Amino acid sequence: MIKQAEVDDSRFVAELAMLLWPDNEINDLEKEMTEYIVSDKGVVFISFIKNVQIGFAQCGLRYDYVEGTESSPVGYLEGVFVKAEYRKRGIGKKLIHQCEEWAKNKGCREFASDCELNNTDSLKFHLQLGFEEANRIICFKKKL
């Protein structure tokens, strides 16, 4: 079962998000999820099996330029995660489909995402779901 998250779900989604983004703080992720849930420019979907939360997808609308796209706004997959023991069952695909439908209902004609250059599992997953690679970049920084 997949449902659109409500404010009461923010902590549970943040706990799942910590498994995807372990370098974050749980309270920061909970705040971010709450902001997405209450916004009309973002959404979070949760997947359940027998009332156990096993995955989530977070997406939003991006109005700035998104690599490889030609329209605005663009639906953007900010993150998707399914617990390891539930993978390879089509759950991630269903979560992303919910995000795509949400974006279509918001007037988007395109949907985009990203992953780290070395995340070959994510790359393969995206390609299997019909995404096309738009670009590869390496970002730089330095302290001033």
Side-chain angles (χ1 to χ4, degrees):
M1 175 182 99
I2 294 176
K3 77 164 198 156
Q4 187 170 332
E6 300 172 1
V7 172
D8 291 347
D9 300 313
S10 295
R11 185 67 177 197
F12 297 113
V13 176
E15 289 170 358
L16 288 171
M18 283 296 296
L19 299 172
L20 179 61
W21 301 306
D23 294 336
N24 287 275
E25 296 292 328
I26 186 79
N27 291 335
D28 293 341
L29 287 172
E30 182 176 9
K31 181 181 175 191
E32 178 182 329
M33 295 305 165
T34 299
E35 289 171 0
Y36 265 77
I37 290 167
V38 300
S39 171
D40 63 344
K41 293 180 176 51
V43 68
V44 177
F45 291 100
I46 310 169
S47 181
F48 294 89
I49 291 182
K50 296 182 181 177
N51 295 325
V52 175
Q53 297 175 344
I54 60 163
F56 81 97
Q58 174 188 6
C59 66
L61 301 177
R62 291 204 179 176
Y63 294 88
D64 53 334
Y65 176 70
V66 175
E67 287 290 332
T69 64
E70 300 172 356
S71 62
S72 182
V74 171
Y76 203 88
L77 180 65
E78 302 293 347
V80 60
F81 177 82
V82 176
K83 289 181 178 178
E85 62 268 31
Y86 297 99
R87 292 181 187 158
K88 307 238 185 256
R89 300 183 190 185
I91 296 164
K93 180 179 182 177
K94 290 176 185 173
L95 284 164
I96 290 173
H97 177 74
Q98 289 291 315
C99 290
E100 291 170 343
E101 288 301 310
W102 175 84
K104 282 182 197 175
N105 290 332
K106 292 290 186 177
C108 296
R109 297 189 333 259
E110 295 176 284
F111 194 74
S113 183
D114 62 59
C115 72
E116 297 287 330
L117 283 173
N118 62 352
N119 192 339
T120 56
D121 289 339
S122 182
L123 172 62
K124 183 178 174 184
F125 176 72
H126 280 81
L127 294 174
Q128 288 173 339
L129 293 178
F131 285 92
E132 297 174 8
E133 189 173 317
N135 195 10
R136 288 187 179 229
I137 62 171
I138 297 174
C139 301
F140 299 95
K141 71 173 189 168
K142 68 178 182 179
K143 295 194 186 280
L144 297 177

mmCIF file of all heavy atoms in Angstrom, residues 95-134:
data_model
loop_
_atom_site.group_PDB
_atom_site.id
_atom_site.type_symbol
_atom_site.label_atom_id
_atom_site.label_comp_id
_atom_site.label_asym_id
_atom_site.label_seq_id
_atom_site.Cartn_x
_atom_site.Cartn_y
_atom_site.Cartn_z
ATOM 1 N N LEU A 95 6.422 3.827 -6.041
ATOM 2 C CA LEU A 95 6.585 5.115 -5.358
ATOM 3 C C LEU A 95 6.884 6.228 -6.354
ATOM 4 O O LEU A 95 6.305 7.317 -6.288
ATOM 5 C CB LEU A 95 7.702 5.022 -4.314
ATOM 6 C CG LEU A 95 7.361 4.279 -3.022
ATOM 7 C CD1 LEU A 95 8.625 3.911 -2.267
ATOM 8 C CD2 LEU A 95 6.437 5.136 -2.157
ATOM 9 N N ILE A 96 7.782 5.956 -7.289
ATOM 10 C CA ILE A 96 8.125 6.970 -8.287
ATOM 11 C C ILE A 96 6.937 7.261 -9.191
ATOM 12 O O ILE A 96 6.690 8.419 -9.555
ATOM 13 C CB ILE A 96 9.379 6.548 -9.081
ATOM 14 C CG1 ILE A 96 10.589 6.628 -8.151
ATOM 15 C CG2 ILE A 96 9.580 7.422 -10.313
ATOM 16 C CD1 ILE A 96 11.865 6.104 -8.725
ATOM 17 N N HIS A 97 6.168 6.238 -9.527
ATOM 18 C CA HIS A 97 4.963 6.453 -10.340
ATOM 19 C C HIS A 97 4.011 7.419 -9.622
ATOM 20 O O HIS A 97 3.425 8.307 -10.263
ATOM 21 C CB HIS A 97 4.265 5.129 -10.640
ATOM 22 C CG HIS A 97 2.996 5.292 -11.404
ATOM 23 N ND1 HIS A 97 2.979 5.614 -12.745
ATOM 24 C CD2 HIS A 97 1.701 5.210 -11.010
ATOM 25 C CE1 HIS A 97 1.726 5.725 -13.140
ATOM 26 N NE2 HIS A 97 0.933 5.479 -12.110
ATOM 27 N N GLN A 98 3.854 7.269 -8.322
ATOM 28 C CA GLN A 98 3.006 8.191 -7.553
ATOM 29 C C GLN A 98 3.544 9.624 -7.661
ATOM 30 O O GLN A 98 2.776 10.574 -7.822
ATOM 31 C CB GLN A 98 2.936 7.765 -6.085
ATOM 32 C CG GLN A 98 2.145 6.513 -5.847
ATOM 33 C CD GLN A 98 0.665 6.723 -6.108
ATOM 34 O OE1 GLN A 98 0.076 7.713 -5.692
ATOM 35 N NE2 GLN A 98 0.065 5.777 -6.797
ATOM 36 N N CYS A 99 4.866 9.766 -7.571
ATOM 37 C CA CYS A 99 5.479 11.092 -7.701
ATOM 38 C C CYS A 99 5.235 11.674 -9.089
ATOM 39 O O CYS A 99 4.920 12.863 -9.231
ATOM 40 C CB CYS A 99 6.977 11.013 -7.427
ATOM 41 S SG CYS A 99 7.412 10.678 -5.708
ATOM 42 N N GLU A 100 5.377 10.836 -10.115
ATOM 43 C CA GLU A 100 5.155 11.304 -11.483
ATOM 44 C C GLU A 100 3.707 11.750 -11.686
ATOM 45 O O GLU A 100 3.449 12.794 -12.314
ATOM 46 C CB GLU A 100 5.509 10.202 -12.476
ATOM 47 C CG GLU A 100 6.983 9.908 -12.540
ATOM 48 C CD GLU A 100 7.336 8.659 -13.333
ATOM 49 O OE1 GLU A 100 6.447 7.815 -13.586
ATOM 50 O OE2 GLU A 100 8.506 8.527 -13.708
ATOM 51 N N GLU A 101 2.769 11.001 -11.153
ATOM 52 C CA GLU A 101 1.356 11.378 -11.268
ATOM 53 C C GLU A 101 1.086 12.687 -10.540
ATOM 54 O O GLU A 101 0.355 13.546 -11.032
ATOM 55 C CB GLU A 101 0.450 10.260 -10.728
ATOM 56 C CG GLU A 101 0.394 9.045 -11.630
ATOM 57 C CD GLU A 101 -0.109 9.372 -13.033
ATOM 58 O OE1 GLU A 101 -1.157 10.036 -13.155
ATOM 59 O OE2 GLU A 101 0.558 8.978 -14.010
ATOM 60 N N TRP A 102 1.677 12.838 -9.360
ATOM 61 C CA TRP A 102 1.532 14.081 -8.609
ATOM 62 C C TRP A 102 2.067 15.248 -9.441
ATOM 63 O O TRP A 102 1.422 16.290 -9.547
ATOM 64 C CB TRP A 102 2.268 13.969 -7.274
ATOM 65 C CG TRP A 102 2.272 15.233 -6.476
ATOM 66 C CD1 TRP A 102 1.293 15.673 -5.630
ATOM 67 C CD2 TRP A 102 3.285 16.236 -6.466
ATOM 68 N NE1 TRP A 102 1.654 16.888 -5.097
ATOM 69 C CE2 TRP A 102 2.867 17.251 -5.602
ATOM 70 C CE3 TRP A 102 4.507 16.361 -7.115
ATOM 71 C CZ2 TRP A 102 3.632 18.385 -5.357
ATOM 72 C CZ3 TRP A 102 5.272 17.490 -6.882
ATOM 73 C CH2 TRP A 102 4.838 18.494 -5.996
ATOM 74 N N ALA A 103 3.249 15.072 -10.042
ATOM 75 C CA ALA A 103 3.858 16.141 -10.846
ATOM 76 C C ALA A 103 2.988 16.474 -12.058
ATOM 77 O O ALA A 103 2.814 17.654 -12.395
ATOM 78 C CB ALA A 103 5.265 15.729 -11.285
ATOM 79 N N LYS A 104 2.445 15.463 -12.722
ATOM 80 C CA LYS A 104 1.533 15.716 -13.856
ATOM 81 C C LYS A 104 0.345 16.546 -13.414
ATOM 82 O O LYS A 104 -0.055 17.490 -14.097
ATOM 83 C CB LYS A 104 1.017 14.399 -14.444
ATOM 84 C CG LYS A 104 1.985 13.677 -15.327
ATOM 85 C CD LYS A 104 1.304 12.412 -15.872
ATOM 86 C CE LYS A 104 2.301 11.435 -16.413
ATOM 87 N NZ LYS A 104 1.664 10.164 -16.827
ATOM 88 N N ASN A 105 -0.209 16.209 -12.252
ATOM 89 C CA ASN A 105 -1.363 16.952 -11.733
ATOM 90 C C ASN A 105 -1.004 18.386 -11.346
ATOM 91 O O ASN A 105 -1.888 19.237 -11.227
ATOM 92 C CB ASN A 105 -1.976 16.220 -10.536
ATOM 93 C CG ASN A 105 -2.677 14.944 -10.951
ATOM 94 O OD1 ASN A 105 -3.159 14.820 -12.074
ATOM 95 N ND2 ASN A 105 -2.727 13.981 -10.047
ATOM 96 N N LYS A 106 0.276 18.646 -11.168
ATOM 97 C CA LYS A 106 0.758 20.006 -10.873
ATOM 98 C C LYS A 106 1.148 20.749 -12.149
ATOM 99 O O LYS A 106 1.683 21.850 -12.091
ATOM 100 C CB LYS A 106 1.958 19.955 -9.913
ATOM 101 C CG LYS A 106 1.612 19.488 -8.519
ATOM 102 C CD LYS A 106 0.787 20.525 -7.805
ATOM 103 C CE LYS A 106 0.540 20.156 -6.363
ATOM 104 N NZ LYS A 106 -0.202 21.204 -5.651
ATOM 105 N N GLY A 107 0.905 20.146 -13.305
ATOM 106 C CA GLY A 107 1.169 20.811 -14.575
ATOM 107 C C GLY A 107 2.538 20.539 -15.175
ATOM 108 O O GLY A 107 2.918 21.173 -16.167
ATOM 109 N N CYS A 108 3.285 19.606 -14.606
ATOM 110 C CA CYS A 108 4.623 19.304 -15.136
ATOM 111 C C CYS A 108 4.531 18.444 -16.393
ATOM 112 O O CYS A 108 3.705 17.547 -16.483
ATOM 113 C CB CYS A 108 5.451 18.568 -14.089
ATOM 114 S SG CYS A 108 5.782 19.538 -12.606
ATOM 115 N N ARG A 109 5.416 18.742 -17.328
ATOM 116 C CA ARG A 109 5.544 17.931 -18.543
ATOM 117 C C ARG A 109 6.801 17.069 -18.504
ATOM 118 O O ARG A 109 6.992 16.214 -19.360
ATOM 119 C CB ARG A 109 5.576 18.833 -19.779
ATOM 120 C CG ARG A 109 4.287 19.619 -19.972
ATOM 121 C CD ARG A 109 4.221 20.356 -21.304
ATOM 122 N NE ARG A 109 5.471 20.730 -21.898
ATOM 123 C CZ ARG A 109 6.013 21.955 -21.864
ATOM 124 N NH1 ARG A 109 5.384 22.928 -21.263
ATOM 125 N NH2 ARG A 109 7.168 22.200 -22.456
ATOM 126 N N GLU A 110 7.665 17.324 -17.502
ATOM 127 C CA GLU A 110 8.899 16.575 -17.371
ATOM 128 C C GLU A 110 9.132 16.220 -15.902
ATOM 129 O O GLU A 110 8.657 16.909 -15.000
ATOM 130 C CB GLU A 110 10.084 17.391 -17.893
ATOM 131 C CG GLU A 110 10.014 17.679 -19.378
ATOM 132 C CD GLU A 110 11.143 18.570 -19.830
ATOM 133 O OE1 GLU A 110 11.074 19.791 -19.563
ATOM 134 O OE2 GLU A 110 12.093 18.033 -20.426
ATOM 135 N N PHE A 111 9.877 15.141 -15.709
ATOM 136 C CA PHE A 111 10.209 14.664 -14.371
ATOM 137 C C PHE A 111 11.695 14.331 -14.371
ATOM 138 O O PHE A 111 12.197 13.719 -15.324
ATOM 139 C CB PHE A 111 9.376 13.425 -14.041
ATOM 140 C CG PHE A 111 9.386 13.045 -12.593
ATOM 141 C CD1 PHE A 111 8.674 13.789 -11.666
ATOM 142 C CD2 PHE A 111 10.092 11.947 -12.157
ATOM 143 C CE1 PHE A 111 8.676 13.444 -10.324
ATOM 144 C CE2 PHE A 111 10.108 11.585 -10.812
ATOM 145 C CZ PHE A 111 9.388 12.333 -9.893
ATOM 146 N N ALA A 112 12.420 14.727 -13.354
ATOM 147 C CA ALA A 112 13.873 14.555 -13.332
ATOM 148 C C ALA A 112 14.340 14.041 -11.974
ATOM 149 O O ALA A 112 13.577 14.008 -11.005
ATOM 150 C CB ALA A 112 14.553 15.888 -13.662
ATOM 151 N N SER A 113 15.600 13.683 -11.935
ATOM 152 C CA SER A 113 16.208 13.155 -10.720
ATOM 153 C C SER A 113 17.721 13.271 -10.858
ATOM 154 O O SER A 113 18.218 13.765 -11.872
ATOM 155 C CB SER A 113 15.785 11.686 -10.536
ATOM 156 O OG SER A 113 16.297 11.153 -9.339
ATOM 157 N N ASP A 114 18.453 12.795 -9.871
ATOM 158 C CA ASP A 114 19.898 12.747 -9.955
ATOM 159 C C ASP A 114 20.426 11.650 -9.055
ATOM 160 O O ASP A 114 19.680 11.094 -8.250
ATOM 161 C CB ASP A 114 20.537 14.093 -9.573
ATOM 162 C CG ASP A 114 20.243 14.486 -8.135
ATOM 163 O OD1 ASP A 114 20.606 13.724 -7.212
ATOM 164 O OD2 ASP A 114 19.662 15.554 -7.917
ATOM 165 N N CYS A 115 21.692 11.331 -9.209
ATOM 166 C CA CYS A 115 22.371 10.432 -8.284
ATOM 167 C C CYS A 115 23.863 10.746 -8.343
ATOM 168 O O CYS A 115 24.333 11.400 -9.271
ATOM 169 C CB CYS A 115 22.088 8.961 -8.599
ATOM 170 S SG CYS A 115 22.863 8.302 -10.083
ATOM 171 N N GLU A 116 24.580 10.285 -7.356
ATOM 172 C CA GLU A 116 26.025 10.483 -7.316
ATOM 173 C C GLU A 116 26.668 9.706 -8.458
ATOM 174 O O GLU A 116 26.170 8.655 -8.876
ATOM 175 C CB GLU A 116 26.588 9.997 -5.984
ATOM 176 C CG GLU A 116 26.074 10.768 -4.779
ATOM 177 C CD GLU A 116 26.658 12.168 -4.678
ATOM 178 O OE1 GLU A 116 27.800 12.375 -5.126
ATOM 179 O OE2 GLU A 116 25.959 13.049 -4.160
ATOM 180 N N LEU A 117 27.790 10.197 -8.984
ATOM 181 C CA LEU A 117 28.481 9.546 -10.095
ATOM 182 C C LEU A 117 28.846 8.091 -9.811
ATOM 183 O O LEU A 117 28.799 7.250 -10.696
ATOM 184 C CB LEU A 117 29.759 10.313 -10.449
ATOM 185 C CG LEU A 117 29.573 11.596 -11.245
ATOM 186 C CD1 LEU A 117 30.903 12.332 -11.379
ATOM 187 C CD2 LEU A 117 28.989 11.318 -12.610
ATOM 188 N N ASN A 118 29.179 7.781 -8.574
ATOM 189 C CA ASN A 118 29.613 6.424 -8.244
ATOM 190 C C ASN A 118 28.477 5.519 -7.770
ATOM 191 O O ASN A 118 28.718 4.368 -7.416
ATOM 192 C CB ASN A 118 30.729 6.461 -7.194
ATOM 193 C CG ASN A 118 30.271 7.090 -5.891
ATOM 194 O OD1 ASN A 118 29.180 7.640 -5.799
ATOM 195 N ND2 ASN A 118 31.128 7.033 -4.889
ATOM 196 N N ASN A 119 27.243 6.011 -7.775
ATOM 197 C CA ASN A 119 26.104 5.210 -7.312
ATOM 198 C C ASN A 119 25.519 4.432 -8.492
ATOM 199 O O ASN A 119 24.487 4.801 -9.063
ATOM 200 C CB ASN A 119 25.051 6.096 -6.654
ATOM 201 C CG ASN A 119 24.002 5.297 -5.915
ATOM 202 O OD1 ASN A 119 23.813 4.107 -6.178
ATOM 203 N ND2 ASN A 119 23.306 5.948 -5.010
ATOM 204 N N THR A 120 26.186 3.356 -8.844
ATOM 205 C CA THR A 120 25.773 2.584 -10.019
ATOM 206 C C THR A 120 24.427 1.893 -9.819
ATOM 207 O O THR A 120 23.688 1.692 -10.776
ATOM 208 C CB THR A 120 26.849 1.546 -10.404
ATOM 209 O OG1 THR A 120 27.117 0.706 -9.281
ATOM 210 C CG2 THR A 120 28.123 2.240 -10.856
ATOM 211 N N ASP A 121 24.094 1.534 -8.584
ATOM 212 C CA ASP A 121 22.784 0.924 -8.325
ATOM 213 C C ASP A 121 21.660 1.918 -8.636
ATOM 214 O O ASP A 121 20.658 1.571 -9.262
ATOM 215 C CB ASP A 121 22.665 0.452 -6.872
ATOM 216 C CG ASP A 121 23.525 -0.766 -6.580
ATOM 217 O OD1 ASP A 121 23.892 -1.489 -7.531
ATOM 218 O OD2 ASP A 121 23.824 -1.001 -5.389
ATOM 219 N N SER A 122 21.840 3.157 -8.205
ATOM 220 C CA SER A 122 20.830 4.172 -8.475
ATOM 221 C C SER A 122 20.740 4.470 -9.969
ATOM 222 O O SER A 122 19.644 4.634 -10.515
ATOM 223 C CB SER A 122 21.140 5.458 -7.700
ATOM 224 O OG SER A 122 20.135 6.420 -7.915
ATOM 225 N N LEU A 123 21.881 4.551 -10.632
ATOM 226 C CA LEU A 123 21.893 4.780 -12.075
ATOM 227 C C LEU A 123 21.098 3.686 -12.793
ATOM 228 O O LEU A 123 20.225 3.976 -13.617
ATOM 229 C CB LEU A 123 23.326 4.826 -12.604
ATOM 230 C CG LEU A 123 23.487 4.875 -14.122
ATOM 231 C CD1 LEU A 123 22.848 6.124 -14.712
ATOM 232 C CD2 LEU A 123 24.955 4.787 -14.504
ATOM 233 N N LYS A 124 21.385 2.456 -12.472
ATOM 234 C CA LYS A 124 20.699 1.319 -13.094
ATOM 235 C C LYS A 124 19.193 1.377 -12.811
ATOM 236 O O LYS A 124 18.372 1.173 -13.710
ATOM 237 C CB LYS A 124 21.288 0.014 -12.559
ATOM 238 C CG LYS A 124 20.719 -1.235 -13.156
ATOM 239 C CD LYS A 124 21.433 -2.469 -12.582
ATOM 240 C CE LYS A 124 20.782 -3.746 -13.051
ATOM 241 N NZ LYS A 124 21.394 -4.928 -12.428
ATOM 242 N N PHE A 125 18.833 1.678 -11.577
ATOM 243 C CA PHE A 125 17.424 1.806 -11.177
ATOM 244 C C PHE A 125 16.717 2.874 -12.002
ATOM 245 O O PHE A 125 15.641 2.645 -12.544
ATOM 246 C CB PHE A 125 17.356 2.117 -9.682
ATOM 247 C CG PHE A 125 15.981 2.367 -9.154
ATOM 248 C CD1 PHE A 125 15.077 1.321 -9.010
ATOM 249 C CD2 PHE A 125 15.593 3.643 -8.776
ATOM 250 C CE1 PHE A 125 13.811 1.552 -8.499
ATOM 251 C CE2 PHE A 125 14.326 3.883 -8.266
ATOM 252 C CZ PHE A 125 13.436 2.835 -8.131
ATOM 253 N N HIS A 126 17.331 4.046 -12.107
ATOM 254 C CA HIS A 126 16.731 5.139 -12.881
ATOM 255 C C HIS A 126 16.543 4.741 -14.351
ATOM 256 O O HIS A 126 15.490 4.990 -14.936
ATOM 257 C CB HIS A 126 17.587 6.407 -12.786
ATOM 258 C CG HIS A 126 17.398 7.179 -11.533
ATOM 259 N ND1 HIS A 126 18.012 6.843 -10.351
ATOM 260 C CD2 HIS A 126 16.659 8.281 -11.276
ATOM 261 C CE1 HIS A 126 17.663 7.713 -9.414
ATOM 262 N NE2 HIS A 126 16.838 8.604 -9.952
ATOM 263 N N LEU A 127 17.568 4.157 -14.934
ATOM 264 C CA LEU A 127 17.476 3.765 -16.338
ATOM 265 C C LEU A 127 16.387 2.718 -16.556
ATOM 266 O O LEU A 127 15.654 2.770 -17.551
ATOM 267 C CB LEU A 127 18.829 3.257 -16.839
ATOM 268 C CG LEU A 127 19.950 4.302 -16.895
ATOM 269 C CD1 LEU A 127 21.271 3.653 -17.272
ATOM 270 C CD2 LEU A 127 19.608 5.441 -17.848
ATOM 271 N N GLN A 128 16.234 1.793 -15.621
ATOM 272 C CA GLN A 128 15.186 0.776 -15.728
ATOM 273 C C GLN A 128 13.791 1.387 -15.670
ATOM 274 O O GLN A 128 12.840 0.829 -16.199
ATOM 275 C CB GLN A 128 15.326 -0.272 -14.619
ATOM 276 C CG GLN A 128 16.492 -1.202 -14.806
ATOM 277 C CD GLN A 128 16.710 -2.118 -13.617
ATOM 278 O OE1 GLN A 128 16.267 -1.851 -12.503
ATOM 279 N NE2 GLN A 128 17.411 -3.217 -13.857
ATOM 280 N N LEU A 129 13.674 2.545 -15.042
ATOM 281 C CA LEU A 129 12.370 3.205 -14.906
ATOM 282 C C LEU A 129 12.090 4.205 -16.024
ATOM 283 O O LEU A 129 11.124 4.944 -15.968
ATOM 284 C CB LEU A 129 12.261 3.896 -13.553
ATOM 285 C CG LEU A 129 12.230 2.933 -12.366
ATOM 286 C CD1 LEU A 129 12.175 3.697 -11.058
ATOM 287 C CD2 LEU A 129 11.063 1.976 -12.470
ATOM 288 N N GLY A 130 12.956 4.236 -17.028
ATOM 289 C CA GLY A 130 12.701 5.090 -18.185
ATOM 290 C C GLY A 130 13.376 6.442 -18.153
ATOM 291 O O GLY A 130 13.189 7.242 -19.072
ATOM 292 N N PHE A 131 14.142 6.729 -17.114
ATOM 293 C CA PHE A 131 14.904 7.979 -17.104
ATOM 294 C C PHE A 131 16.014 7.875 -18.143
ATOM 295 O O PHE A 131 16.531 6.797 -18.412
ATOM 296 C CB PHE A 131 15.544 8.224 -15.730
ATOM 297 C CG PHE A 131 14.603 8.680 -14.662
ATOM 298 C CD1 PHE A 131 13.977 7.761 -13.829
ATOM 299 C CD2 PHE A 131 14.345 10.024 -14.464
ATOM 300 C CE1 PHE A 131 13.120 8.171 -12.830
ATOM 301 C CE2 PHE A 131 13.484 10.458 -13.460
ATOM 302 C CZ PHE A 131 12.874 9.518 -12.642
ATOM 303 N N GLU A 132 16.384 9.007 -18.724
ATOM 304 C CA GLU A 132 17.523 9.096 -19.633
ATOM 305 C C GLU A 132 18.582 9.956 -18.972
ATOM 306 O O GLU A 132 18.271 10.970 -18.353
ATOM 307 C CB GLU A 132 17.109 9.759 -20.952
ATOM 308 C CG GLU A 132 16.070 8.998 -21.727
ATOM 309 C CD GLU A 132 15.598 9.768 -22.954
ATOM 310 O OE1 GLU A 132 16.185 10.825 -23.277
ATOM 311 O OE2 GLU A 132 14.634 9.313 -23.571
ATOM 312 N N GLU A 133 19.831 9.555 -19.122
ATOM 313 C CA GLU A 133 20.900 10.354 -18.556
ATOM 314 C C GLU A 133 20.982 11.678 -19.304
ATOM 315 O O GLU A 133 21.048 11.702 -20.529
ATOM 316 C CB GLU A 133 22.225 9.604 -18.653
ATOM 317 C CG GLU A 133 23.327 10.276 -17.884
ATOM 318 C CD GLU A 133 24.602 9.447 -17.832
ATOM 319 O OE1 GLU A 133 24.523 8.229 -17.611
ATOM 320 O OE2 GLU A 133 25.674 10.054 -18.018
ATOM 321 N N ALA A 134 20.994 12.797 -18.558
ATOM 322 C CA ALA A 134 21.016 14.124 -19.166
ATOM 323 C C ALA A 134 22.416 14.730 -19.172
ATOM 324 O O ALA A 134 22.761 15.485 -20.078
ATOM 325 C CB ALA A 134 20.055 15.060 -18.429
#
